[in-house]
Amino acid sequence: MPYEPPPYLAELTLAQIAEQVAQRKLPPVEGWAPAQSGESHMRIAGDGSWYHEGGLIRREAMVRAFSGLLTRDEAQQHWLVTPFEKLTIEVEDAAFIAVDCVQREGEIAFRLNTDELVIAGPDNALRVAGDPGTPAIYLHVRRGCEARLNRSTYTQLIEVALDGFDDDLVGKLSVTSLGATFSLQV
């Protein structure tokens, strides 16, 4: 069956975005306890590109499949987990890149570089890192893995924050989604 990416975020209502999120079927990685562990010889570059043994993985379907197997433990190590083995994977910055965002009915949805849709909220928190000169915003995706907002998505999110900016809250730029408020200050 050919892969059909979801429509552009700008074309979707919040209900349609929520339906896309609910339809995403992920492997039950949390329930697996593989006996073997090792090295995957894979790397996710800072721009979201995936590599195996130094070569770029060009098949987007493979990247989407592998991304569903990702976890990150408390020691910040990323893993590819299958029922049979748990393999380390090097991640330069974040496992995903948020490439688009939209605000619908007060909620903020993001599209990742794997075409997955994520709605920011208590389970998918936004966090700010870096410094005022080079800030970075990250979105929790799942299992400890995050997406870094690319430059255009960062700008979109700042525009959402500015649209709701209250002059009484000078210096407290923030956004709210699914009842959770996230500061965008470094």
Side-chain angles (χ1 to χ4, degrees), residues 3 24-30 32 42 44 48-50 57 59-72 78-82 89 91 94-97 112-118 141-147:
Y3 174 73
R24 173 89 161 126
K25 303 288 189 250
L26 293 168
V29 171
E30 297 85 355
W32 294 341
M42 295 176 73
I44 302 174
S49 299
W50 286 58
I57 299 175
R59 293 182 53 200
E60 293 176 8
M62 288 187 72
V63 170
R64 281 190 299 275
F66 287 138
S67 73
L69 301 172
L70 280 175
T71 67
R72 186 173 76 173
H78 287 81
W79 300 88
L80 282 172
V81 181
T82 73
I89 181 169
V91 177
F96 301 94
I97 303 293
L112 306 182
N113 58 322
T114 56
D115 280 337
E116 186 173 347
L117 302 180
V118 178
V141 176
R142 65 175 165 278
R143 303 181 197 129
C145 296
E146 294 181 310

Side-chain angles (χ1 to χ4, degrees), residues 13-96:
T13 66
L14 181 60
Q16 291 169 322
I17 293 168
E19 182 181 330
Q20 291 276 339
V21 170
Q23 287 178 0
R24 173 89 161 126
K25 303 288 189 250
L26 293 168
V29 171
E30 297 85 355
W32 294 341
Q36 296 181 357
S37 64
E39 168 64 46
S40 70
H41 305 286
M42 295 176 73
R43 175 176 64 91
I44 302 174
D47 67 358
S49 299
W50 286 58
Y51 294 85
H52 181 254
E53 295 182 348
L56 179 65
I57 299 175
R58 298 183 190 282
R59 293 182 53 200
E60 293 176 8
M62 288 187 72
V63 170
R64 281 190 299 275
F66 287 138
S67 73
L69 301 172
L70 280 175
T71 67
R72 186 173 76 173
D73 63 23
E74 292 174 3
Q76 308 307 311
Q77 174 62 57
H78 287 81
W79 300 88
L80 282 172
V81 181
T82 73
F84 308 103
E85 58 188 351
K86 182 177 178 179
L87 304 173
T88 61
I89 181 169
E90 178 188 344
V91 177
E92 289 180 1
D93 186 4
F96 301 94

